[in-house]
Structures are given as C-alpha cells and as structure tokens.
Coordinates of all heavy atoms in Angstrom, one line a residue:
M46 N 14.6 -1.7 3.4 CA 14.9 -1.3 2.0 C 13.8 -1.8 1.1 O 13.2 -2.8 1.2 CB 16.2 -2.0 1.6 CG 17.5 -1.5 2.2 SD 17.9 0.0 1.4 CE 19.6 0.1 1.7
S47 N 13.6 -1.0 0.1 CA 12.6 -1.3 -1.0 C 13.3 -2.3 -1.9 O 14.5 -2.6 -1.9 CB 12.2 -0.1 -1.7 OG 13.2 0.4 -2.5
A48 N 12.5 -2.8 -2.9 CA 13.0 -3.7 -3.9 C 14.1 -3.1 -4.7 O 15.0 -3.8 -5.2 CB 11.9 -4.2 -4.8
Q49 N 14.1 -1.8 -4.8 CA 15.2 -1.1 -5.6 C 16.3 -0.6 -4.8 O 17.2 0.1 -5.2 CB 14.6 0.1 -6.3 CG 13.6 -0.2 -7.4 CD 12.2 -0.5 -6.9 OE1 11.8 -0.1 -5.8 NE2 11.5 -1.4 -7.6
G50 N 16.3 -1.0 -3.5 CA 17.4 -0.7 -2.6 C 17.3 0.7 -2.0 O 18.2 1.3 -1.4
I51 N 16.1 1.4 -2.2 CA 15.9 2.7 -1.7 C 15.3 2.5 -0.2 O 14.4 1.8 0.0 CB 14.8 3.4 -2.5 CG1 15.3 3.6 -3.9 CG2 14.5 4.8 -1.9 CD1 14.2 4.0 -4.9
P52 N 16.0 3.2 0.7 CA 15.5 3.0 2.1 C 14.1 3.5 2.3 O 13.7 4.6 1.7 CB 16.4 3.9 2.9 CG 17.6 4.3 2.0 CD 17.1 4.1 0.6
L53 N 13.3 2.8 3.0 CA 11.9 3.2 3.3 C 11.8 3.5 4.7 O 12.5 3.0 5.6 CB 10.9 2.0 3.0 CG 10.8 1.6 1.5 CD1 9.9 0.4 1.4 CD2 10.2 2.7 0.7
K54 N 10.8 4.4 5.1 CA 10.5 4.6 6.5 C 10.2 3.3 7.1 O 9.6 2.4 6.5 CB 9.4 5.6 6.6 CG 9.7 7.0 6.1 CD 8.5 7.9 6.3 CE 8.8 9.3 5.7 NZ 8.5 9.4 4.3
S55 N 10.5 3.1 8.4 CA 10.4 1.8 9.1 C 9.0 1.4 9.2 O 8.7 0.2 9.2 CB 11.1 1.8 10.4 OG 10.6 2.8 11.2
D56 N 8.0 2.2 9.4 CA 6.7 1.8 9.7 C 5.8 2.0 8.5 O 5.6 3.1 8.0 CB 6.1 2.5 11.0 CG 4.8 2.0 11.4 OD1 4.7 0.8 11.5 OD2 3.9 2.8 11.6
F57 N 5.1 1.0 8.1 CA 4.3 1.1 6.9 C 3.1 2.0 7.1 O 2.6 2.7 6.2 CB 3.7 -0.3 6.5 CG 2.5 -0.7 7.2 CD1 1.2 -0.5 6.6 CD2 2.5 -1.3 8.4 CE1 0.1 -0.8 7.3 CE2 1.4 -1.6 9.1 CZ 0.1 -1.4 8.5
R58 N 2.7 2.2 8.4 CA 1.6 3.1 8.6 C 2.0 4.5 8.3 O 1.1 5.3 7.7 CB 1.2 3.0 10.1 CG 0.6 1.7 10.5 CD 0.6 1.6 12.1 NE 0.2 0.3 12.5 CZ 1.0 -0.7 12.7 NH1 2.3 -0.6 12.4 NH2 0.6 -1.9 13.1
E59 N 3.2 4.9 8.5 CA 3.6 6.3 8.2 C 3.8 6.4 6.6 O 3.4 7.4 6.1 CB 5.0 6.6 8.8 CG 5.6 7.9 8.4 CD 4.7 9.1 8.8 OE1 3.8 9.0 9.6 OE2 5.0 10.2 8.2
R60 N 4.3 5.3 6.0 CA 4.3 5.4 4.5 C 3.0 5.5 3.9 O 2.7 6.3 3.0 CB 5.1 4.1 4.0 CG 6.5 4.1 4.3 CD 7.3 3.0 3.5 NE 6.7 1.7 3.6 CZ 7.0 0.8 4.5 NH1 7.8 1.1 5.5 NH2 6.4 -0.4 4.5
A61 N 2.0 4.8 4.5 CA 0.6 4.8 4.0 C 0.0 6.2 4.2 O -0.7 6.8 3.4 CB -0.2 3.8 4.6
R62 N 0.3 6.8 5.4 CA -0.3 8.1 5.8 C 0.2 9.2 4.8 O -0.6 10.0 4.4 CB 0.2 8.5 7.2 CG -0.5 9.7 7.7 CD 0.0 10.1 9.1 NE 1.3 10.6 9.1 CZ 1.8 11.8 8.6 NH1 0.9 12.6 8.1 NH2 3.0 12.1 8.6
V63 N 1.4 9.1 4.3 CA 1.9 10.1 3.3 C 1.8 9.6 1.9 O 2.4 10.2 1.0 CB 3.3 10.6 3.7 CG1 3.3 11.3 5.1 CG2 4.3 9.5 3.7
N64 N 1.2 8.5 1.7 CA 1.0 7.8 0.4 C 2.4 7.5 -0.2 O 2.6 7.7 -1.4 CB 0.1 8.6 -0.5 CG -0.7 7.7 -1.4 OD1 -1.2 6.7 -0.9 ND2 -0.9 8.1 -2.6
D65 N 3.3 7.0 0.6 CA 4.6 6.6 0.1 C 4.6 5.1 -0.1 O 5.5 4.4 0.5 CB 5.7 7.0 1.1 CG 7.1 6.8 0.6 OD1 7.3 6.7 -0.7 OD2 8.0 6.7 1.4
I66 N 3.7 4.5 -0.9 CA 3.6 3.1 -1.2 C 3.9 2.9 -2.6 O 3.1 3.4 -3.5 CB 2.2 2.6 -0.8 CG1 1.9 2.9 0.6 CG2 2.2 1.1 -1.1 CD1 0.4 2.6 1.0
P67 N 5.0 2.3 -3.0 CA 5.4 2.2 -4.4 C 4.3 1.7 -5.3 O 4.1 2.3 -6.4 CB 6.6 1.3 -4.4 CG 7.2 1.5 -3.0 CD 6.1 1.7 -2.1
V68 N 3.6 0.6 -5.0 CA 2.6 0.1 -5.9 C 1.4 1.1 -6.0 O 0.8 1.2 -7.0 CB 2.2 -1.3 -5.5 CG1 1.4 -1.3 -4.2 CG2 1.4 -2.0 -6.6
A69 N 1.2 1.8 -4.9 CA 0.1 2.8 -5.0 C 0.4 3.9 -5.9 O -0.4 4.4 -6.7 CB -0.2 3.4 -3.6
R70 N 1.7 4.3 -5.9 CA 2.1 5.4 -6.9 C 2.0 4.8 -8.3 O 1.6 5.5 -9.2 CB 3.5 5.8 -6.6 CG 3.6 6.7 -5.4 CD 5.0 7.4 -5.3 NE 6.1 6.5 -5.4 CZ 6.7 5.9 -4.4 NH1 6.3 6.1 -3.1 NH2 7.7 5.1 -4.6
L71 N 2.4 3.6 -8.5 CA 2.4 3.0 -9.9 C 1.0 2.9 -10.4 O 0.8 3.3 -11.6 CB 3.1 1.6 -9.8 CG 3.0 0.8 -11.1 CD1 3.9 1.5 -12.2 CD2 3.4 -0.6 -10.9
I72 N 0.1 2.4 -9.6 CA -1.3 2.2 -10.1 C -2.1 3.5 -9.9 O -3.0 3.7 -10.8 CB -1.9 1.0 -9.3 CG1 -1.2 -0.3 -9.7 CG2 -3.4 0.9 -9.7 CD1 -1.5 -1.5 -8.9
G73 N -1.8 4.2 -8.9 CA -2.6 5.5 -8.7 C -3.6 5.4 -7.6 O -4.6 6.2 -7.7
F74 N -3.5 4.5 -6.7 CA -4.5 4.4 -5.6 C -3.9 5.1 -4.3 O -2.7 5.3 -4.2 CB -5.0 3.0 -5.3 CG -4.0 2.0 -4.7 CD1 -3.8 2.0 -3.4 CD2 -3.3 1.2 -5.5 CE1 -3.0 1.1 -2.8 CE2 -2.5 0.3 -5.0 CZ -2.3 0.2 -3.6
E75 N -4.8 5.4 -3.4 CA -4.4 6.0 -2.1 C -4.9 5.1 -1.0 O -6.1 4.6 -1.0 CB -5.1 7.4 -2.0 CG -4.4 8.5 -2.7 CD -5.0 9.8 -2.3 OE1 -4.9 10.2 -1.2 OE2 -5.7 10.4 -3.2
A76 N -4.1 4.9 0.0 CA -4.5 4.3 1.2 C -5.2 5.3 2.1 O -4.6 6.3 2.4 CB -3.3 3.7 2.0
K77 N -6.5 5.1 2.4 CA -7.2 6.1 3.1 C -7.2 5.8 4.6 O -7.1 6.8 5.4 CB -8.7 6.2 2.6 CG -8.8 6.8 1.2 CD -8.3 8.2 1.3 CE -8.6 9.0 0.0 NZ -8.2 10.3 0.1
E78 N -7.4 4.6 5.0 CA -7.5 4.3 6.4 C -7.0 2.9 6.6 O -7.3 1.9 5.9 CB -9.0 4.3 6.9 CG -9.1 4.1 8.3 CD -10.6 4.2 8.8 OE1 -11.4 4.7 8.0 OE2 -10.9 3.8 9.9
I79 N -6.1 2.7 7.6 CA -5.5 1.4 7.9 C -5.5 1.3 9.4 O -4.8 2.0 10.1 CB -4.1 1.3 7.4 CG1 -4.0 1.5 5.9 CG2 -3.5 -0.1 7.7 CD1 -2.6 1.8 5.4
A80 N -6.2 0.3 10.0 CA -6.3 0.1 11.4 C -7.1 -1.1 11.8 O -8.0 -1.5 11.1 CB -6.9 1.3 12.1
D81 N -6.6 -1.8 12.8 CA -7.4 -2.9 13.4 C -7.8 -4.0 12.4 O -9.0 -4.4 12.4 CB -8.6 -2.4 14.2 CG -8.2 -1.4 15.2 OD1 -7.2 -1.5 15.9 OD2 -8.9 -0.3 15.4
G82 N -6.9 -4.4 11.5 CA -7.2 -5.4 10.6 C -8.1 -5.0 9.4 O -8.6 -5.8 8.7
R83 N -8.2 -3.7 9.2 CA -9.0 -3.2 8.1 C -8.1 -2.2 7.3 O -7.3 -1.5 7.8 CB -10.2 -2.4 8.6 CG -11.2 -3.3 9.3 CD -12.3 -2.5 9.9 NE -12.9 -1.6 8.9 CZ -14.1 -1.8 8.3 NH1 -14.8 -2.8 8.7 NH2 -14.5 -1.0 7.4
A84 N -8.4 -2.1 6.0 CA -7.7 -1.1 5.2 C -8.7 -0.6 4.1 O -9.4 -1.4 3.5 CB -6.5 -1.7 4.5
T85 N -8.7 0.7 3.9 CA -9.5 1.2 2.8 C -8.6 1.9 1.8 O -7.8 2.7 2.2 CB -10.5 2.3 3.4 OG1 -11.3 1.6 4.4 CG2 -11.4 2.8 2.3
V86 N -8.8 1.6 0.6 CA -8.0 2.3 -0.5 C -9.0 2.9 -1.5 O -10.1 2.4 -1.6 CB -7.0 1.3 -1.2 CG1 -6.0 0.8 -0.2 CG2 -7.7 0.2 -1.9
M87 N -8.5 3.9 -2.2 CA -9.3 4.6 -3.2 C -8.6 4.7 -4.5 O -7.4 5.0 -4.5 CB -9.7 6.0 -2.7 CG -10.8 6.6 -3.5 SD -11.4 8.1 -2.7 CE -10.5 9.3 -3.5
L88 N -9.3 4.4 -5.6 CA -8.7 4.5 -6.9 C -9.7 5.3 -7.8 O -10.9 5.0 -7.9 CB -8.5 3.1 -7.5 CG -8.1 3.1 -9.0 CD1 -6.7 3.6 -9.2 CD2 -8.3 1.7 -9.6
A89 N -9.2 6.4 -8.4 CA -9.9 7.1 -9.4 C -9.5 6.5 -10.7 O -8.5 6.8 -11.3 CB -9.6 8.6 -9.3
A90 N -10.3 5.5 -11.2 CA -10.0 4.8 -12.5 C -10.0 5.8 -13.6 O -10.9 6.7 -13.8 CB -11.0 3.7 -12.7
G91 N -9.0 5.6 -14.5 CA -8.9 6.4 -15.7 C -8.6 5.6 -16.9 O -8.5 4.3 -16.8
P92 N -8.3 6.2 -18.0 CA -8.0 5.4 -19.3 C -6.8 4.6 -19.1 O -6.7 3.5 -19.8 CB -7.9 6.5 -20.3 CG -7.8 7.8 -19.6 CD -8.4 7.6 -18.3
Q93 N -5.9 4.9 -18.3 CA -4.6 4.2 -18.1 C -4.9 2.8 -17.4 O -4.1 2.0 -17.3 CB -3.6 5.0 -17.3 CG -3.9 5.2 -15.8 CD -4.8 6.4 -15.5 OE1 -5.6 6.9 -16.4 NE2 -4.8 7.0 -14.3
H94 N -6.1 2.6 -16.8 CA -6.5 1.4 -16.1 C -7.4 0.5 -17.0 O -7.9 -0.5 -16.5 CB -7.2 1.7 -14.8 CG -6.4 2.6 -13.9 ND1 -6.7 3.9 -13.6 CD2 -5.3 2.3 -13.2 CE1 -5.8 4.4 -12.8 NE2 -5.0 3.4 -12.5
A95 N -7.5 0.8 -18.3 CA -8.5 0.1 -19.1 C -7.8 -1.2 -19.7 O -6.6 -1.2 -20.0 CB -8.9 1.0 -20.3
N96 N -8.7 -2.2 -19.9 CA -8.3 -3.4 -20.7 C -8.6 -3.1 -22.2 O -9.1 -2.0 -22.5 CB -9.0 -4.6 -20.1 CG -10.5 -4.5 -20.3 OD1 -11.0 -3.8 -21.2 ND2 -11.3 -5.3 -19.5
P97 N -8.3 -4.1 -23.0 CA -8.5 -3.8 -24.5 C -9.9 -3.5 -24.8 O -10.2 -2.9 -25.9 CB -8.0 -5.1 -25.1 CG -7.0 -5.7 -24.2 CD -7.5 -5.3 -22.8
M98 N -10.9 -3.9 -24.0 CA -12.3 -3.7 -24.3 C -12.7 -2.3 -23.8 O -13.8 -1.9 -24.0 CB -13.2 -4.7 -23.6 CG -13.0 -6.1 -24.3 SD -13.8 -7.5 -23.4 CE -15.4 -6.8 -23.1
G99 N -11.8 -1.6 -23.1 CA -12.1 -0.2 -22.6 C -12.7 -0.2 -21.3 O -13.1 0.9 -20.8
T100 N -12.8 -1.3 -20.6 CA -13.3 -1.3 -19.2 C -12.2 -1.5 -18.2 O -11.0 -1.8 -18.6 CB -14.4 -2.4 -19.0 OG1 -13.7 -3.7 -19.2 CG2 -15.5 -2.2 -19.9
L101 N -12.4 -1.4 -16.9 CA -11.4 -1.5 -15.9 C -10.7 -2.9 -16.0 O -11.4 -3.9 -15.9 CB -12.0 -1.2 -14.5 CG -11.0 -1.3 -13.4 CD1 -9.9 -0.2 -13.5 CD2 -11.7 -1.2 -12.1
Y102 N -9.4 -2.9 -16.1 CA -8.7 -4.2 -16.2 C -8.8 -4.9 -14.8 O -8.6 -4.3 -13.8 CB -7.2 -3.8 -16.5 CG -6.3 -5.0 -16.5 CD1 -6.5 -6.1 -17.3 CD2 -5.2 -5.1 -15.6 CE1 -5.7 -7.2 -17.3 CE2 -4.4 -6.2 -15.5 CZ -4.6 -7.2 -16.4 OH -3.8 -8.3 -16.3
G103 N -9.2 -6.1 -14.8 CA -9.4 -6.9 -13.6 C -8.1 -7.0 -12.8 O -8.2 -7.1 -11.5
G104 N -6.9 -7.0 -13.4 CA -5.7 -7.0 -12.7 C -5.5 -5.8 -11.7 O -4.9 -5.9 -10.7
I105 N -6.1 -4.7 -12.1 CA -6.0 -3.5 -11.3 C -6.8 -3.8 -10.0 O -6.3 -3.5 -8.9 CB -6.5 -2.2 -12.0 CG1 -5.7 -1.9 -13.2 CG2 -6.6 -1.1 -11.0 CD1 -4.3 -1.5 -13.0
L106 N -7.9 -4.4 -10.1 CA -8.7 -4.7 -8.9 C -8.0 -5.7 -8.1 O -8.0 -5.6 -6.8 CB -10.1 -5.3 -9.4 CG -11.0 -4.3 -10.1 CD1 -12.3 -5.1 -10.6 CD2 -11.4 -3.2 -9.2
C107 N -7.3 -6.7 -8.7 CA -6.6 -7.6 -7.9 C -5.4 -6.9 -7.2 O -5.1 -7.3 -6.0 CB -6.0 -8.7 -8.8 SG -7.3 -9.8 -9.5
D108 N -4.7 -6.0 -7.8 CA -3.6 -5.3 -7.2 C -4.1 -4.5 -6.0 O -3.4 -4.5 -5.0 CB -3.0 -4.3 -8.2 CG -2.1 -5.1 -9.2 OD1 -1.7 -6.2 -9.0 OD2 -1.9 -4.5 -10.3
I109 N -5.2 -3.7 -6.1 CA -5.6 -2.9 -5.0 C -6.2 -3.8 -3.9 O -6.0 -3.5 -2.7 CB -6.6 -1.8 -5.3 CG1 -7.9 -2.3 -5.9 CG2 -5.9 -0.8 -6.3 CD1 -8.9 -1.2 -6.2
A110 N -6.8 -4.9 -4.2 CA -7.3 -5.9 -3.2 C -6.1 -6.5 -2.5 O -6.1 -6.6 -1.2 CB -8.2 -6.9 -3.8
D111 N -5.1 -6.9 -3.2 CA -3.9 -7.5 -2.6 C -3.2 -6.5 -1.7 O -2.8 -6.9 -0.5 CB -2.9 -8.0 -3.7 CG -1.7 -8.6 -3.1 OD1 -1.8 -9.7 -2.5 OD2 -0.6 -8.0 -3.2
A112 N -3.1 -5.3 -2.1 CA -2.4 -4.3 -1.3 C -3.2 -4.0 0.0 O -2.7 -3.9 1.1 CB -2.2 -3.0 -2.1
A113 N -4.5 -3.8 -0.2 CA -5.4 -3.6 1.0 C -5.4 -4.7 2.0 O -5.3 -4.5 3.2 CB -6.8 -3.3 0.5
M114 N -5.4 -5.9 1.4 CA -5.3 -7.1 2.3 C -4.0 -7.2 3.1 O -4.0 -7.4 4.3 CB -5.5 -8.4 1.5 CG -5.5 -9.7 2.2 SD -5.9 -11.1 1.2 CE -4.6 -11.0 -0.1
G115 N -2.9 -6.9 2.4 CA -1.6 -6.9 3.1 C -1.5 -5.8 4.1 O -1.0 -6.0 5.2
M116 N -2.0 -4.6 3.8 CA -2.0 -3.5 4.8 C -2.9 -3.8 6.0 O -2.6 -3.5 7.1 CB -2.3 -2.2 4.1 CG -1.3 -1.7 3.2 SD -1.6 -0.1 2.5 CE -2.8 -0.5 1.2
A117 N -4.1 -4.4 5.7 CA -5.0 -4.8 6.8 C -4.3 -5.8 7.7 O -4.4 -5.6 9.0 CB -6.3 -5.3 6.2
F118 N -3.7 -6.8 7.2 CA -3.0 -7.8 8.0 C -1.9 -7.2 8.8 O -1.8 -7.4 10.0 CB -2.5 -9.0 7.2 CG -1.6 -9.9 8.0 CD1 -2.2 -10.7 8.9 CD2 -0.3 -9.9 7.8 CE1 -1.4 -11.6 9.7 CE2 0.5 -10.8 8.5 CZ -0.1 -11.6 9.5
A119 N -1.1 -6.4 8.1 CA 0.1 -5.7 8.8 C -0.4 -4.8 9.9 O 0.4 -4.7 10.9 CB 0.9 -5.0 7.8
S120 N -1.6 -4.3 9.8 CA -2.1 -3.4 10.9 C -2.3 -4.2 12.2 O -2.5 -3.6 13.3 CB -3.3 -2.6 10.5 OG -4.4 -3.5 10.5
T121 N -2.4 -5.5 12.1 CA -2.6 -6.3 13.3 C -1.3 -6.7 14.0 O -1.3 -7.3 15.1 CB -3.4 -7.6 13.0 OG1 -2.6 -8.4 12.2 CG2 -4.7 -7.2 12.3
L122 N -0.2 -6.5 13.3 CA 1.2 -6.9 13.8 C 1.7 -5.8 14.8 O 1.3 -4.6 14.7 CB 2.2 -7.0 12.7 CG 1.8 -8.0 11.6 CD1 2.8 -8.0 10.5 CD2 1.7 -9.4 12.2
P123 N 2.5 -6.3 15.8 CA 3.1 -5.3 16.7 C 4.0 -4.3 16.0 O 4.6 -4.7 15.0 CB 3.8 -6.1 17.7 CG 4.0 -7.5 17.1 CD 2.9 -7.6 16.0
R124 N 4.0 -3.1 16.5 CA 4.9 -2.1 15.9 C 6.4 -2.6 16.1 O 6.7 -3.1 17.1 CB 4.7 -0.7 16.5 CG 3.4 -0.1 16.1 CD 3.4 1.3 16.6 NE 2.1 1.9 16.2 CZ 1.8 2.6 15.1 NH1 2.8 2.8 14.3 NH2 0.7 3.1 14.9
R125 N 7.2 -2.3 15.0 CA 8.6 -2.7 15.0 C 9.4 -1.7 15.9 O 9.1 -0.5 15.9 CB 9.1 -2.5 13.6 CG 10.3 -3.4 13.3 CD 10.7 -3.3 11.9 NE 12.1 -3.1 11.8 CZ 12.7 -2.0 11.7 NH1 12.1 -0.9 11.5 NH2 14.0 -1.9 11.7
N126 N 10.3 -2.2 16.7 CA 11.1 -1.4 17.5 C 12.3 -0.9 16.7 O 13.1 -1.6 16.2 CB 11.7 -2.3 18.7 CG 12.5 -1.4 19.7 OD1 13.0 -0.3 19.3 ND2 12.6 -1.9 20.9
P127 N 12.3 0.4 16.4 CA 13.4 1.0 15.6 C 14.8 0.8 16.1 O 15.7 0.9 15.3 CB 13.0 2.5 15.4 CG 12.0 2.7 16.5 CD 11.4 1.4 17.0
S128 N 14.9 0.5 17.4 CA 16.3 0.4 17.9 C 16.8 -1.0 17.6 O 18.0 -1.3 17.8 CB 16.3 0.6 19.4 OG 15.5 -0.4 20.1
L129 N 16.0 -1.9 17.2 CA 16.4 -3.3 16.8 C 16.9 -3.3 15.4 O 16.3 -2.6 14.5 CB 15.3 -4.3 17.0 CG 14.8 -4.5 18.5 CD1 13.7 -5.5 18.5 CD2 16.0 -5.0 19.4
P130 N 17.9 -4.1 15.0 CA 18.3 -4.2 13.6 C 17.2 -4.9 12.8 O 16.5 -5.8 13.3 CB 19.6 -5.1 13.7 CG 19.5 -5.8 15.0 CD 18.7 -5.0 15.9
S131 N 17.1 -4.5 11.6 CA 16.1 -5.1 10.7 C 16.8 -6.0 9.8 O 18.0 -5.9 9.4 CB 15.4 -4.0 9.9 OG 16.3 -3.3 9.1
N132 N 16.1 -7.1 9.4 CA 16.6 -8.1 8.4 C 15.8 -8.1 7.2 O 14.7 -7.9 7.1 CB 16.6 -9.5 9.1 CG 17.5 -9.6 10.3 OD1 18.4 -8.8 10.4 ND2 17.3 -10.6 11.1

C-alpha cells in the first residue's frame, strides 16, 4: 500500500518502468534505468523547480538523489515472492 492507502504494484521495478512512482510524479522526474545497484533518473527542470533566486532549488536535487539512491539499493534486494503475504 502507498502512504495514501492506494494499492501499488508489488515490484518497484515495474512501477519505475511505467513511471508509477509518486514522488517522481510530484517532482516531475523519470526513472530511466534501475539495475545492479545503480539508478539513473532524469529531470527536465522548469520554473516550478526554482528557488526564490530563480535557480534550481537544492531540495529538488536532494529529492532526486534520495529517490535514485533508494531505487539503486532496492535493485540489489531479492525479488519479493507475490504468493507470500506482505507486511
């Protein structure tokens, strides 16, 4: 389940493949490649990502770095068995 109680597909790789990552939709980045402890994300920065000075807000960089790091780590974990109950 997602934070809002919306069921998510069981494997994050599939969610990333179809760009079904809630924070990616919010910020506007795409997961391009996730495998073997690596993740590549792409962001087309726009005015909605600007800080008060008009440059890219550093928090956006932190968000995409955090998401990429989490996806890279998760790619090293064994695939979940869908027949087992999830907690």
